[in-house]
Amino acid sequence: MSYYDIDSILTDAEKIPCTFQLDIPDLGYLDNTPTQPLKAGTKVSLPLWLAEMLVIANTGGPDNKTFVTFDLPRALGNDVVQALKADPRAVPLRDQSAHFYGLATHMMDLSEEQELGSVLRKTFVTRAAEISLHARKVGGVGTKGKGKDEGSNLGIGGAGEEFLRGLDEWERKLFRKAHDGAKAGKEWMESIKKN
Amino acid sequence: MALPLPLGLTHSEVAFLAEMELVTVVPRQRLESIDLLSGKTPPLRPPHRADLPLWLALLLKKQRRANIVPPPWLHPASLAEIVHRETKVHPQAFSEPMPTSSRARQSEPGFAGRIGGDGNGEEVTLSPPFQGNCTSSAPAGYLPYHWFEVAEALITHAGDDLGGNTSEIRGLLRDLVEVRAAKMRDSAETLGAEGQGGVVSLRGVGAMELAENRGFVLGVVDGVRKIGGAVETARREREEEMDLGGGDGDRGGYGGGGDSDDDMGI
C-alpha cells in the first residue's frame, strides 16, 4: 500500500465503533456533551486511523489498559459474515462498505478473528469468478461496466447489473482489469479483419 | 500509475510474435532464398513445399504467389477432438501443450527429428516460435502456444486454403475459446481454496489467452495475498509463541534464557 494510495486513505476514514475505557476531560463534544468530560464506557464511532492508534497504544497506567476497545464494524458483523457464508454472490458488498476488503484486512490485523479470513478468501474468489464472467459479457467500447449489456450473448439483465453495483473497490478494479483484457481481445479480433 | 501500458504483452504484440511461427507453403512461383536477420529462407521451387515464417507466407498469399498448407491441428477433426477432450475427458485441465522441440515425421511414425539439428552433433534448443508447431508436419490433436493467433490469421487471410470449411473451423475455435475462458474463471476459485497454496497451473494455455487474462489472474492472486496476509502474520506469531511456551514448560519457568536457544536450534 503506497502512501499516496487514495483507496488506502479512504479506507482509513471508515468508522469503527469504539468504547472508551477511561474518563477523558475536554473530549465530551464527541458525545454531544461539550461541558462534561468523556465518560469511560461511552461508545463513539472513530475513524480507523485514529481507532488503530488508540487500540495499539496503552495508557501507561498500572493496569496497562488501552484507551479504547473496539468492536467489528457492522460491515463485518455476524449478519454479513453469515450471509457471505451462505452465498457470497448474493451480498452487495458496496452497501456494507465501499472499501469492504480494505476495511476487513485492516480489522483482521487488529483483531484475532480466525474465521473471518477464510470466509473473506472464499468470498473474494467466488465473486472474482462471477466478475470475470460479467466482464467478458459486457460488450462495446468504453462502457466500463456501467451496466450496458449490448454485446452480451447471455441474458444478463437486471441480475447482472445488480451484482455489478454491489462490487466494492477491490472488485471494481478487478472487473476493470478483466474487462480491459476482454475488450483488448475483441478489438484485436476486429483489427485483424481490417488488414 | 506512471506508465499507462498494461503489464505484459498486449494482444497486438502477441500477434506480432506469432508471425514468426513457421508455416508450410506451396509456392506458385520461383523465389530465391532471402537473407533475413533471422536466417535464410528456403528457396521456393513451385511444386515443392517449404516452411516460411507466417508473415512472409501471408505476404506471398496476398500476392497470390503461394498457397498455405494449414497445420494439421487446424483441421476440423483435430479441433473437434480437442473440444471433446476439453469438455468431456478433462473438464478441469487445459489440454496438453504440443510436444517440445521435436516434430513427428508422418512418413515414419515413431520418429521425431529436431528442426535445426543437421546431424553434426550440434544441439539446437528451439523455443516456441521456431518449433514448427504450425507447419504441415506438426502433430494433430494438440494446441500450440500461438494457436489462436495463427488460426485467426489463417482463417482471415487464407480461408480458401483451409478446405472450404472455414465456418466450421471458426465455430470450433469459438467453442474452444469459450471452454477455456470458463476454465480460466474456475482457476480463480481453485486459487482461493484452502490448502492450495495459491497456486494454479497454466500449462497448455495459449499466448493470446494469457494476454487476455493476465490482469484478472494477477488481480485475484494479489487480492488473496492481501486477505491472507493478516491471517498469515497471526499464525506465525502464534507459532513463535508456542515454540517459546514449549521451551518454558520443560523447565517449569523462566531463568534459562541461554538454554532456550539450544532447544530451538534443533
Side-chain angles (χ1 to χ4, degrees):
Chain A
M1 260 190 234
S2 144
Y3 183 75
Y4 293 105
D5 182 1
I6 192 71
D7 285 323
S8 151
I9 294 168
L10 289 172
T11 307
D12 276 349
E14 295 279 342
K15 292 282 173 59
I16 310 291
C18 294
T19 314
F20 276 87
Q21 301 292 308
L22 296 171
D23 287 349
I24 299 176
D26 297 337
L27 273 185
Y29 62 88
L30 287 179
D31 199 29
N32 280 336
T33 50
T35 51
Q36 310 270 324
L38 192 66
K39 293 262 172 38
T42 318
K43 283 189 189 299
V44 180
S45 279
L46 295 177
L48 183 54
W49 58 268
L50 180 57
E52 193 176 359
M53 283 304 141
L54 291 179
V55 168
I56 292 172
N58 66 40
T59 51
D63 45 359
N64 250 350
K65 265 204 294 193
T66 56
F67 288 102
V68 298
T69 58
F70 69 95
D71 298 319
L72 286 178
R74 201 150 44 86
L76 297 170
N78 199 30
D79 293 352
V80 179
V81 172
Q82 292 304 328
L84 286 178
K85 264 194 220 163
D87 185 3
R89 275 165 289 199
V91 185
L93 290 184
R94 203 174 185 79
D95 294 353
Q96 303 303 326
S97 160
H99 302 275
F100 182 82
Y101 291 108
L103 180 64
T105 45
H106 246 102
M107 293 312 289
M108 281 195 293
D109 279 338
L110 292 180
S111 74
E112 304 264 312
E113 282 280 340
Q114 297 301 319
E115 199 191 5
L116 193 57
S118 63
V119 172
L120 275 181
R121 195 164 139 149
K122 192 158 170 296
T123 305
F124 183 68
V125 293
T126 318
R127 288 170 69 95
E130 189 82 0
I131 290 166
S132 164
L133 182 69
H134 286 294
R136 268 182 72 85
K137 296 309 170 200
V138 177
V141 178
T143 55
K144 219 187 88 183
K146 289 289 179 249
K148 299 202 183 135
D149 50 358
E150 48 208 38
S152 139
N153 52 7
L154 284 185
I156 297 174
E161 280 185 37
E162 197 62 39
F163 177 75
L164 294 180
R165 220 172 282 132
L167 299 182
D168 95 317
E169 284 301 321
W170 281 23
E171 292 173 330
R172 286 208 170 178
K173 273 190 197 154
L174 196 62
F175 179 88
R176 194 71 190 274
K177 282 179 186 161
H179 181 62
D180 283 351
K183 199 175 86 181
K186 223 169 257 173
E187 280 171 2
W188 174 75
M189 288 283 286
E190 273 153 30
S191 75
I192 194 176
K193 284 180 190 110
K194 279 178 203 147
N195 47 40
Chain B
M1 205 175 288
L3 202 62
L5 273 177
L7 212 61
L9 296 175
T10 64
H11 284 73
S12 40
E13 284 163 348
V14 170
F16 179 75
L17 290 180
E19 291 192 338
M20 286 207 291
E21 287 280 353
L22 293 176
V23 293
T24 309
V25 297
V26 179
R28 294 188 189 176
Q29 289 180 359
R30 294 172 73 91
L31 180 70
E32 288 310 313
S33 167
I34 309 170
D35 204 357
L36 297 173
L37 271 182
S38 53
K40 287 188 175 176
T41 62
L44 302 182
R45 304 270 177 269
H48 298 290
R49 296 179 171 194
D51 292 347
L52 293 182
L54 181 62
W55 61 269
L56 185 56
L58 288 178
L59 194 71
L60 293 177
K61 170 70 190 167
K62 280 180 201 162
Q63 297 173 350
R64 300 173 181 282
R65 290 170 203 269
N67 283 6
I68 297 177
V69 182
W73 53 263
L74 197 55
H75 194 271
S78 167
L79 287 178
E81 185 200 329
I82 298 171
V83 171
H84 173 76
R85 207 188 308 153
E86 294 244 351
T87 50
K88 302 276 162 29
V89 186
H90 299 295
Q92 300 301 320
F94 295 96
S95 56
E96 290 283 298
M98 205 166 263
T100 49
S101 286
S102 67
R103 69 178 172 177
R105 295 184 201 157
Q106 288 179 335
S107 52
E108 306 160 72
F111 284 89
R114 281 186 184 280
I115 295 159
D118 43 5
N120 55 7
E122 231 176 84
E123 286 281 296
V124 187
T125 314
L126 296 169
S127 55
F130 307 106
Q131 273 172 5
N133 280 342
C134 300
T135 59
S136 64
S137 52
Y142 294 97
L143 288 179
Y145 186 54
H146 286 297
W147 63 278
F148 190 60
E149 307 88 289
V150 173
E152 281 297 326
L154 288 183
I155 289 177
T156 315
H157 299 296
D160 51 332
D161 289 342
L162 297 180
N165 39 16
T166 326
S167 57
E168 190 187 351
I169 294 176
R170 208 180 268 281
L172 286 165
L173 282 175
R174 197 67 57 238
D175 290 351
L176 261 182
V177 168
E178 287 300 325
V179 168
R180 290 162 73 95
K183 285 181 184 179
M184 198 56 107
R185 277 199 294 282
D186 294 343
S187 75
E189 288 195 50
T190 52
L191 259 182
E194 296 285 343
Q196 281 273 331
V199 178
V200 63
S201 167
L202 293 178
R203 187 174 146 82
V205 182
M208 203 51 100
E209 293 160 294
L210 286 181
E212 190 159 323
N213 291 297
R214 182 176 282 111
F216 171 71
V217 173
L218 288 185
V220 174
V221 172
D222 207 36
V224 171
R225 179 181 64 78
K226 280 188 198 157
I227 291 173
V231 182
E232 184 65 21
T233 25
R235 192 178 62 82
R236 263 195 218 139
E237 276 169 13
R238 215 170 35 248
E239 272 174 12
E240 272 172 29
E241 275 168 23
M242 268 165 66
D243 282 353
L244 289 176
D248 290 341
D250 288 345
R251 286 184 307 279
Y254 291 98
D259 294 346
S260 82
D261 282 349
D262 297 339
D263 285 353
M264 291 177 69
I266 299 166

